[in-house]
Amino acid sequence: MGTALVYHEDMTATRLLWDDPECEIECPERLTAALDGLRQRGLEERCLCLSACEASEEELGLVHSPEYIALVQKTQTLDKEELHALSKQYNAVYFHPDTFHCARLAAGAALQLVDAVLTGAVHNGLALVRPPGHHSQRAAANGFCVFNNVALAAKHAKQKYGLQRILIVDWDVHHGQGIQYIFNDDPSVLYFSWHRYEHGSFWPFLPESDADAVGQGQGQGFTVNLPWNQVGMGNADYLAAFLHVLLPLAFEFDPELVLVSAGFDSAIGDPELLQVLAGGRICAVLEGGYHLESLAQSVCMMVQTLLGDPTPPLLGLMVPCQSALESIQSVQTAQTPYWTSLQQNVAPVLSSSTHSPEERSLRLLGESPTCAVAEDSLSPLLDQLCLRPAPPICTAVASTVPGAALCLPPGVLHQEGSVLREETEAWARLHKSRFQDEDLATLGKILCLLDGIMDGQIRNAIATTTALATAATLDVLIQRCLARRAQRVLCVALGQLDRPLDLADDGRILWLNIRGKDAAIQSMFHFSTPLPQTTGGFLSLILGLVLPLAYGFQPDMVLMALGPAHGLQNAQAALLAAMLRSPVGGRILAVVEEESIRLLARSLAQALHGETPPSLGPFSKATPEEIQALMFLKARLEARWKLLQVAAPPP
Ligand code: Q9C
Ligand code: ZN
């Protein structure tokens, strides 16, 4: 089980035969650059490579009219003048004698990828194709797109595998109006697109690309458009959209398959946040992306993430801009009638200051003019992002419970090494009353695990402790992180774990305790909230509070502690661990009191290892008390943690 890469060299054949500045960017080098990048970084050989085959006429007919298919077929025999004349009948399209062959390969590649994932040959994959597809319609080519590869993939998954819920995430910079039209009244396909819109003045200039287009008839609420009205949207804006719009809807929708219209003409893609959906069944299909170097880097990042490597932490000030918040609010307003997860999201309206995108990029990049700096700084930034040496050991375990009792997945290493006995004793002496002699051997191993993670030898780890020693162990781990000059440590502590008395409140430790009945705030860095009992409440806690804080804090280490009476179910613990990986580049040490480890170990280890967590079960609406506790915290924390914001201050 791994990642498929579907490709065929013939897809480099189609190219522009006349002068047209609009169309020349859709060139064969796009595919060769992407593939070269994958080869140079040794990523191609980590994938299951499949050679694309042409989609059949019947398969094309799942989306396109027979007349349109026949028309495209006929272009094989046209001369240059005839091709040029036909091209002009469409918006931003060119035909070449090889277009029909390439477009059938592109569609076929998307279908093969769906087959590979749905038959279980692989977990996920990427189809590297041209021409792209998401603008193409039942009987029209549009925006470089001839056949709608992703729409065909969705129809194929419905028809051949009987799927009932498919999520399409379209992160190309342009609105995929073609996909929207094809599934406009179809509730089995949730189409989500964010795109540059600028109030309608960006191509394709359509009113139906705005947030108030929600689908029709049975399909109402299954088209979700998030239009960006200013340029320069960055990590914080995309994160806010992911956490406050896409993921709540996606969890509620509970897709069986996720298709990604992966255009890299917008930004570097981050499928990691999607991997917790649909049992990890993600099929990504290339759409746009015209800056060759950026395209190659983005494709590499995407494949690396599909392969399960942790994503690098995101850079930049984690403050969504005013315009992004307005867009997010407009889509929430349009979609709230259709989605329970948004209805419980009663956002407090705030007055705190936000930044314009321009202001923010200046802060990020220095004082020189934004565009020039952005262009110059792109390459080193991308290089840095792609330098991700994977630690030799993926997930390690140090346990007070015999290893055989834990049913750990293959590939998890048992930690035998330990720090020096004197060192362990010195740390334990600080908490003399709470460590028994028999705890010391375990503590030594746990400290060794922590060192391994901080030194880049181990990606992440699980440690068990006796119930009595959990709090003291967590305390020692925090102190050791600081002693080893961690800049920021995020502690997510569940259950009866009191805040260490001497815990510094200087911004280096973010302490969140999930326990008890009421939310409480000691400072902007220390607070607690109850564990919700509904799935809706739990998801709101994770997506609406924990992840915005984690991304905003930008920790270099996460300590996740499950103490006595933590109350987490298997699937909840796994989801929390899986989602906490992304803001910290995978560096998590999970400490679990031994009473519950037998139940949790396997799925926790799988989640840390990069596998998809089990389902939380059917969606249940958060209770008013759960919402109230979250709102209480969010309203007070928003001043410091801007990713919590879901609403823009009134103009
Ligand atoms: N002057 C894709 O990215 N050009 N298609 C618009 C208007 C057409 C984009 C420029 C862009 C088509 C798949
Ligand atoms: Zn595009």
Side-chain angles (χ1 to χ4, degrees):
M1 290 294 270
T3 297
L5 184 66
V6 195
Y7 177 74
H8 197 293
E9 203 186 319
D10 283 4
M11 282 185 283
T12 58
T14 181
R15 62 191 169 84
L16 182 66
L17 296 175
W18 49 84
D19 249 10
D20 181 350
E22 183 173 28
C23 289
E24 69 190 6
I25 56 175
E26 205 296 290
C27 60
E29 290 74 25
R30 296 179 59 232
L31 286 190
T32 45
L35 203 67
D36 284 350
L38 289 173
R39 288 189 177 142
Q40 275 164 24
R41 289 171 187 78
L43 292 167
E44 188 198 25
E45 62 191 34
R46 292 174 62 191
C47 294
L48 175 69
C49 293
L50 301 175
S51 177
C53 300
E54 291 187 334
S56 68
E57 249 169 73
E58 195 188 329
E59 287 167 333
L60 296 175
L62 288 170
V63 163
H64 299 285
S65 71
E67 299 75 26
Y68 175 66
I69 299 169
L71 178 96
V72 181
Q73 179 163 27
K74 207 188 66 189
T75 61
Q76 294 178 105
T77 57
L78 299 184
D79 65 27
K80 187 170 142 186
E81 275 63 47
E82 293 166 324
L83 288 167
H84 195 172
L86 178 67
S87 301
K88 280 195 278 196
Q89 293 186 22
Y90 297 103
N91 184 350
V93 169
Y94 69 87
F95 287 102
H96 176 277
D98 290 323
T99 292
F100 184 61
H101 177 49
C102 291
R104 278 179 68 172
L105 283 173
L111 303 187
Q112 268 168 277
L113 181 54
V114 166
D115 287 333
V117 167
L118 292 183
T119 57
V122 289
H123 267 127
N124 57 33
L126 171 67
L128 273 182
V129 303
R130 333 181 17 247
H134 71 151
H135 300 303
S136 147
Q137 296 148 39
R138 178 171 158 79
N142 184 285
F144 316 151
C145 300
V146 178
F147 297 133
N148 200 313
N149 310 315
V150 166
L152 284 162
K155 290 271 192 187
H156 178 72
K158 283 179 58 167
Q159 195 213 33
K160 186 164 169 191
Y161 299 91
L163 295 201
Q164 294 177 331
R165 289 180 315 280
I166 298 167
L167 169 65
I168 299 178
V169 178
D170 185 340
W171 68 49
D172 189 282
V173 78
H174 304 99
H175 180 225
Q177 86 279 32
I179 302 180
Q180 175 170 313
Y181 299 156
I182 291 160
F183 299 109
N184 205 32
D185 58 3
D186 184 345
S188 66
V189 177
L190 172 55
Y191 175 66
F192 175 93
S193 173
W194 58 39
H195 39 266
R196 184 166 164 189
Y197 188 59
E198 296 180 84
H199 301 286
S201 60
F202 190 72
W203 194 91
F205 317 109
L206 300 167
E208 61 266 35
S209 305
D210 210 345
D212 59 358
V214 298
Q216 286 187 328
Q218 294 289 301
Q220 278 186 34
F222 296 94
T223 292
V224 181
N225 284 330
L226 175 43
W228 298 126
N229 286 317
Q230 276 182 34
V231 294
M233 294 302 164
N235 288 334
D237 308 301
Y238 286 109
L239 270 176
F242 250 105
L243 297 174
H244 301 310
V245 184
L246 174 55
L247 289 177
L249 299 196
F251 273 105
E252 187 175 345
F253 182 62
D254 189 22
E256 299 157 301
L257 175 69
V258 179
L259 301 174
V260 180
S261 266
F264 295 109
D265 41 11
S266 56
I268 291 171
D270 180 359
E272 189 171 61
L273 284 174
L274 293 175
Q275 282 173 328
V276 293
L277 299 167
R281 289 182 288 274
I282 301 181
C283 298
V285 181
L286 182 65
E287 300 281 2
Y290 308 103
H291 182 290
L292 296 182
E293 193 192 350
S294 160
L295 170 68
Q297 303 261 25
S298 303
V299 165
C300 288
M301 289 278 279
M302 166 114 205
V303 169
Q304 227 176 333
T305 307
L306 289 172
L307 283 164
D309 295 359
T311 48
L314 298 171
L315 306 171
L317 198 62
M318 284 299 156
V319 181
C321 70
Q322 170 82 19
S323 174
L325 290 173
E326 283 168 11
S327 294
I328 288 170
Q329 212 172 0
S330 69
V331 60
Q332 284 175 334
T333 302
Q335 297 291 343
T336 295
Y338 311 104
W339 297 96
T340 307
S341 51
L342 296 182
Q343 288 155 17
Q344 63 191 28
N345 212 341
V346 238
V349 177
L350 329 136
S351 55
S352 48
S353 74
T354 50
H355 303 89
S356 72
E358 291 75 18
E359 193 186 331
R360 192 181 38 195
S361 45
L362 285 176
R363 281 161 168 261
L364 189 60
L365 299 168
E367 297 306 321
S368 14
T370 324
C371 287
V373 173
E375 189 58 34
D376 289 352
S377 60
L378 187 61
S379 300
L381 199 67
L382 291 170
D383 280 341
Q384 187 193 342
L385 286 174
C386 274
L387 283 176
R388 292 159 62 186
I393 298 166
C394 198
T395 300
V397 169
S399 178
T400 49
V401 176
L406 299 182
C407 297
L408 292 168
V412 174
L413 189 104
H414 283 273
Q415 174 72 23
E416 299 305 339
S418 169
V419 300
L420 294 176
R421 180 80 184 187
E422 299 84 72
E423 206 177 341
T424 311
E425 281 171 1
W427 282 108
R429 224 171 291 132
L430 297 172
H431 305 273
K432 196 157 185 60
S433 57
R434 295 193 286 170
F435 283 109
Q436 310 290 312
D437 274 352
E438 58 268 30
D439 292 329
L440 289 185
T442 315
L443 183 62
K445 286 186 189 175
I446 299 177
L447 292 174
C448 195
L449 285 180
L450 180 72
D451 289 358
I453 297 174
M454 293 190 76
D455 296 336
Q457 294 301 308
I458 304 173
R459 185 175 293 166
N460 50 44
I462 301 174
T464 72
T465 60
T466 58
L468 273 177
T470 314
T473 304
L474 183 57
D475 200 356
V476 168
L477 288 171
I478 294 171
Q479 298 308 326
R480 189 166 173 100
C481 283
L482 294 180
R484 296 211 41 183
R485 309 213 180 155
Q487 306 213 345
R488 286 176 302 279
V489 181
L490 169 62
C491 289
V492 182
L494 287 110
Q496 289 164 13
L497 292 169
D498 288 329
R499 183 166 54 114
L501 288 173
D502 54 350
L503 192 64
D505 193 15
D506 57 3
R508 288 187 297 167
I509 315 285
L510 179 57
W511 168 269
L512 168 62
N513 194 185
I514 302 175
R515 73 183 300 178
K517 275 196 154 20
D518 297 306
I521 299 183
Q522 286 85 41
S523 78
M524 281 295 155
F525 290 89
H526 300 170
F527 34 87
S528 59
T529 187
L531 176 68
Q533 299 303 309
T534 60
T535 52
F538 183 75
L539 285 168
S540 290
L541 170 66
I542 304 300
L543 302 177
L545 185 75
V546 178
L547 288 177
L549 292 169
Y551 277 105
F553 187 52
Q554 299 172 300
D556 26 32
M557 184 74 201
V558 169
L559 301 173
M560 172 179 162
L562 306 188
H566 61 73
L568 271 193
Q569 291 157 13
N570 222 348
Q572 294 175 323
L575 182 68
L576 181 59
M579 300 210 79
L580 281 172
R581 293 168 81 220
S582 51
V584 71
R587 287 185 301 280
I588 301 181
L589 176 53
V591 183
V592 185
E593 60 83 22
E594 63 188 11
E595 297 299 310
S596 60
I597 190 65
R598 281 183 179 80
L599 290 173
L600 294 175
R602 188 176 172 84
S603 42
L604 198 56
Q606 284 173 330
L608 288 174
H609 209 247
E611 287 174 46
T612 309
S615 159
L616 290 178
F619 186 86
S620 59
K621 194 173 173 162
T623 65
E625 294 73 32
E626 291 170 353
I627 296 172
Q628 208 183 358
L630 279 175
M631 287 308 148
F632 170 85
L633 275 184
K634 289 169 77 162
R636 281 158 188 79
L637 296 174
E638 257 169 0
R640 170 65 181 74
W641 304 104
K642 305 286 185 181
L643 279 175
L644 292 173
Q645 290 181 302
V646 286

